[in-house]
Amino acid sequence: MKVLPTLACACALLSASLSHPLHADEKDVARMLEGVKLMPPTGYPGWIAVVGPAAFPVVVGREGGLDQTVVAAADFGAGRVVLFGHNGYVSPGSWDGGDGWPLLENCIRWATRNERGKPRIGVWNNQGMADALNKRGMVGESIGDFARLEKGLKLDALFFSPWAFTGAQLESLTKYVKGGGAILCGETGWGWSQYNGAMTGNGGNWLFGPMGLVFSDGIAHGRGADGFPIVRDLSPYLNAQTALDALRREAPDISMQVMAPKGPDGVWRANQMDKGVPDRRFDLLLDAYTGTRLYYSGWDQQTAFGKATAIGIPFHRGEFGWWNQALLLVFGLGVIFSIVSGWVMYFKRRAKGLSGMPVLVPGAWKSASPYAVLGVVVMFVAMPLLALSAAAVAVAELGGWWLK
């Protein structure tokens, strides 16, 4: 079965420095989906990128062999979070169809670790949802003042749609989850991006990105007329961390840049990021659904031209260290000296009434070393603009000499 790994436009959050084991506890997913066969629809949910080692998909939309996550969860510190791909899921009416309320209650009880008690849920400016939770054996409370949370309001979980959090609010919410709190959050990423641009500016992504979950700017497929049928055979490659681990096993031990698959026929791509170590240059392609290596080209597989390019480009940029930069400085100063001294000689000759070309003694051309001639030819071939400019200068000088 094909599964599109969920990595969104904000996957700059994904780093090759991640080395934690993948969470993906099947018991957690089974608990949240207990007694659930259908998640009700609300509009057109966006899909959620699962990029962290302790994050995992819960509900996916499946269409044409393609899976996209619409509900995801993660452990973070002592707390837990659950994300929904549409802000409508913060409203009580969105859970009325299918097995909506059992799914939401399962998610709340998993996130709060409160299986039989009455978890206290703070809903942001939504009395309707608070009342609906109260009717279902929980304690819902509508909160409109963020300062109440900071003053130590005893809540097991918060339920909201993200907004433009201040730095202090982000810090407070992160501390709240890390200390054992829970957050349930709904956001329509594609709708937000239409009015605000790249999802990297989304408040939810600033909060949940470090926890391994990112709202994307795409619309999730697989929504039926009655909602999203529950899929239980989820692939581990829905998590970008799994793909990163697979890439790490195949690639040299060096920093690398990773490109996510684009569409259901895409592949995971990785190549060398540190150009200052050319003998570890590589290009790697992995199957997006199985993690199987499709293509690999390391230093030994590079052509002579490829190796020369791998060395020449970083050398030209001074990426081999101080000695490389010092050498380029000497070369640059030499070029400046050649230009300045050339103009000085030119005007000195002009002052004596000459054309500017040096006066050669008889037989001077014949006395030139064949190696020097060969070197000039090689330079002209390697640098065509130098050959053209030299030819232009020669024509101008000869023309001036002929006119005199």
Side-chain angles (χ1 to χ4, degrees):
M1 170 184 324
K2 294 185 176 181
V3 180
L4 179 62
T6 52
L7 191 63
C9 61
C11 79
L13 294 167
L14 176 63
S15 167
S17 64
L18 291 173
S19 58
H20 306 288
L22 179 65
H23 178 77
D25 192 334
E26 294 181 0
K27 292 182 179 179
D28 292 333
V29 177
R31 173 64 188 94
M32 284 186 275
L33 297 180
E34 184 177 333
V36 179
K37 295 182 179 180
L38 182 70
M39 177 180 173
T42 178
Y44 290 90
W47 52 276
I48 300 167
V50 182
V51 299
F56 52 92
V58 179
V59 178
V60 302
R62 174 170 291 177
E63 182 175 89
L66 170 65
D67 287 2
Q68 292 177 322
T69 304
V70 292
V71 179
D75 286 292
F76 185 71
R80 289 171 166 177
V81 296
V82 181
L83 304 191
F84 306 99
H86 199 287
N87 56 4
Y89 287 116
V90 183
S91 301
S94 299
W95 298 101
D96 289 340
D99 301 306
W101 283 106
L103 172 61
L104 179 58
E105 182 175 346
N106 289 348
C107 290
I108 291 174
R109 293 197 176 279
W110 174 85
T112 60
R113 294 183 170 89
N114 189 333
E115 291 294 338
R116 294 179 176 82
K118 293 186 174 183
R120 295 189 62 187
I121 316 300
V123 187
W124 193 256
N125 284 324
N126 194 327
Q127 189 62 49
M129 176 57 84
D131 292 341
L133 293 173
N134 286 323
K135 293 178 181 178
R136 286 166 174 80
M138 291 172 275
V139 179
E141 181 177 350
S142 180
I143 299 176
D145 183 7
F146 190 85
R148 295 180 65 188
L149 173 64
E150 296 180 304
K151 290 179 181 178
L153 186 64
K154 299 298 183 181
L155 293 171
D156 297 305
L158 297 174
F159 197 1
F160 56 75
S161 290
W163 63 90
F165 301 114
T166 65
Q169 290 173 340
L170 282 173
E171 184 178 354
S172 295
L173 290 170
T174 301
K175 184 178 179 181
Y176 167 73
V177 177
K178 188 176 291 187
I183 292 179
L184 295 93
C185 181
E187 173 69 301
T188 313
W190 63 266
W192 186 93
S193 67
Q194 286 184 344
Y195 295 97
N196 300 280
M199 289 300 294
T200 48
N202 180 272
N205 286 346
W206 280 96
L207 175 60
F208 300 113
M211 303 180 193
L213 296 173
V214 178
F215 293 108
S216 81
D217 58 358
I219 298 176
H221 301 293
R223 174 189 180 276
D226 298 323
F228 292 93
I230 297 303
V231 177
R232 300 183 185 275
D233 56 333
L234 300 179
S235 166
Y237 283 88
L238 276 167
N239 190 309
Q241 179 67 43
T242 307
L244 180 59
D245 291 341
L247 291 166
R248 271 287 175 219
R249 289 192 294 269
E250 298 287 349
D253 185 16
I254 191 172
S255 61
M256 61 182 178
Q257 61 181 3
V258 178
M259 289 152 281
K262 295 182 178 180
D265 296 323
V267 296
W268 283 99
R269 299 174 182 268
N271 53 42
Q272 173 195 18
M273 178 177 287
D274 186 359
K275 306 300 182 183
V277 190
D279 62 341
R280 291 194 177 183
R281 175 178 176 176
F282 75 94
D283 295 286
L284 173 63
L285 303 181
L286 293 187
D287 186 279
Y289 311 114
T290 65
T292 303
R293 184 172 74 174
L294 301 176
Y295 172 80
Y296 179 81
S297 176
W299 180 254
D300 293 337
Q301 288 76 39
Q302 300 290 331
T303 64
F305 181 78
K307 292 181 178 180
T309 302
I311 296 174
I313 292 178
F315 178 84
H316 177 72
R317 295 174 177 172
E319 296 177 1
F320 289 132
W322 67 267
W323 66 268
N324 186 184
Q325 297 169 14
L327 193 60
L328 291 176
L329 176 63
V330 171
F331 177 78
L333 293 175
V335 171
I336 295 174
F337 175 79
S338 298
I339 294 173
V340 174
S341 61
W343 279 107
V344 170
M345 289 187 291
Y346 177 82
F347 284 110
K348 282 188 175 182
R349 293 180 184 128
R350 279 292 194 185
K352 296 179 181 180
L354 301 175
S355 65
M357 292 183 65
V359 178
L360 301 178
V361 298
W365 286 108
K366 295 181 180 180
S367 64
S369 168
Y371 297 107
V373 175
L374 178 61
V376 171
V377 172
V378 170
M379 290 179 64
F380 283 170
V381 172
M383 297 178 283
L385 288 179
L386 176 63
L388 291 174
S389 59
V393 171
V395 169
E397 291 286 0
L398 291 172
W401 175 80
W402 182 76
L403 290 175
K404 287 188 176 183

